[in-house]
Amino acid sequence: MQALGDRIGGWEQARKTCEARRDLIVELSHFRDFHDIDWRPLSTEMAALEAEYAQLARDSDMLRALETQLRELEQVMEDTDKALGEAQRECSQAQLRQEQAQAQRDECATLLDATPREARDAYFPRLETMRDEALGEHTLSVESCDNREREMREWLTRNIDNADRSAAGLRDRIIDAMRGYQNAWPLDSREVVARVFITENEINGLAFPDTPGSLVIFGLGYGLERLADIPWLTEVEIHYWGDIDTHGFAILDRLRARLPHTRSLLMDRATLEAHRDLWGQEHPQQRFTGTLTRLTPPEQSLFEDLRENRLGECVRLEQERIGYGGLLKAIAPRVWPTSVQMS
């Protein structure tokens, strides 16, 4: 650019010289006869001026061409800067997606490590089959994983809703059968069932350890008041196992309104602290924020800490995140108080 500026300056100086010489030629009009002047040097100078003018014209054409090239180069630089900025934004977004994907992968690995071997062997093959049923011939890729996840969730939601409707009908039939059996055989029913475990999660209910003299009921949610229609439940042990969150304690409180002798299972502060790495979050707008009056002092203290976010923002521990071994240790003293020690 400096060399180009120097050349332009030289051309401008040449232009001024030509203009000065042109003015001298104009002054020749004052002479009436060529003999009054020495015309031969003037002719030579005019020839030189014409040559310089021609050169200046050629240089001017080159200058315009260079200026055109300069404008083109400046436009190319501007387009390149825009492309670079867009590429940097895309790179930042890709890096953010990579970090989010890595965080999700780490979380998934943590959940897998915490999943008992028995549960993996029992349910993972079923999940593989369900994935094939839900996704069909679709091939998973980085670009399509979000859409495939949404399709998988929608498929699971539909199947869970259908299963819930089937389970609701089955629960009604079981409760009716239990009530009929108890009415027909009151003494036998008291001997067969010594305790009832109530859990919210269907998988936990289906995978619950086989314990003598015990009955497991699951999936009732806030509809568990219906259990009060079974009279003999007031004469057996009741153990409720729910999520450690505001709704879990609200359901426990509600159950005790009908069955006040209900004891909580794995809903204590020690269990929550032991599974800190597996904590989740309740939806901020869907938490229970009311007052509960039927909890024990330790339960009440933990519930208030959760409700007031003293342990963190909307903390919850879903019951299915607790390992199978932890469940065995918790129920052992309730099923085998003295004869069996669980390691």
Side-chain angles (χ1 to χ4, degrees), residues 16-26 45 48-49 52:
K16 291 179 181 179
T17 301
C18 290
E19 289 175 351
R21 292 178 178 179
R22 182 194 61 193
D23 294 340
L24 291 175
I25 294 173
V26 172
E45 186 174 354
L49 287 174
E52 289 183 10

Side-chain angles (χ1 to χ4, degrees), residues 140-329:
L140 288 177
S141 64
V142 174
E143 293 78 9
S144 67
C145 61
D146 289 341
N147 292 333
R148 300 292 85 82
E149 180 185 9
R150 183 174 62 254
E151 293 173 3
M152 188 72 174
R153 287 181 180 275
E154 291 174 351
W155 184 86
L156 284 173
T157 299
R158 289 194 300 270
N159 282 270
I160 289 173
D161 291 342
N162 293 334
D164 284 344
R165 285 191 290 270
S166 299
L170 178 60
R171 286 195 300 269
D172 291 340
R173 292 195 296 272
I174 291 175
I175 291 175
D176 290 341
M178 291 169 58
R179 186 184 299 112
Y181 183 85
Q182 192 272 337
N183 291 334
W185 310 96
L187 296 179
D188 290 345
S189 63
R190 292 174 185 171
E191 293 176 0
V192 171
V193 179
R195 68 193 62 81
V196 174
F197 292 97
I198 302 173
T199 179
E200 290 307 310
N201 186 277
E202 180 179 356
I203 293 179
N204 288 353
L206 294 173
F208 203 87
D210 185 14
T211 55
S214 303
L215 175 70
V216 179
I217 300 175
F218 56 87
L220 290 178
Y222 278 98
L224 47 74
E225 292 96 334
R226 299 168 56 193
L227 295 176
D229 296 334
I230 305 175
W232 60 265
L233 288 179
T234 60
E235 302 175 13
V236 299
E237 299 176 9
I238 304 294
H239 305 274
Y240 174 73
W241 180 23
D243 296 333
I244 303 181
D245 59 13
T246 59
H247 282 288
F249 284 110
I251 295 174
L252 174 61
D253 183 270
R254 199 164 181 173
L255 178 59
R256 283 182 178 152
R258 301 298 183 93
L259 299 170
H261 63 296
T262 300
R263 298 168 58 191
S264 63
L265 176 66
L266 290 171
M267 296 180 67
D268 53 85
R269 192 179 298 272
T271 299
L272 179 64
E273 292 294 342
H275 297 80
R276 178 178 288 269
D277 292 341
L278 301 178
W279 286 5
Q281 284 189 317
E282 286 188 281
H283 193 287
Q285 305 301 323
Q286 298 177 359
R287 305 171 71 231
F288 180 84
T289 57
T291 301
L292 303 179
T293 60
R294 303 178 185 90
L295 302 181
T296 64
E299 293 167 350
Q300 185 70 36
S301 174
L302 180 55
F303 165 71
E304 291 177 357
D305 285 349
L306 294 172
R307 184 187 62 188
E308 303 302 326
N309 292 321
R310 294 169 185 156
L311 301 176
E313 189 69 21
C314 302
V315 169
R316 73 178 308 204
L317 175 63
E318 296 172 292
Q319 57 185 218
E320 57 266 31
R321 293 176 179 263
I322 298 175
Y324 192 79
L327 174 61
L328 288 176
K329 289 182 180 180

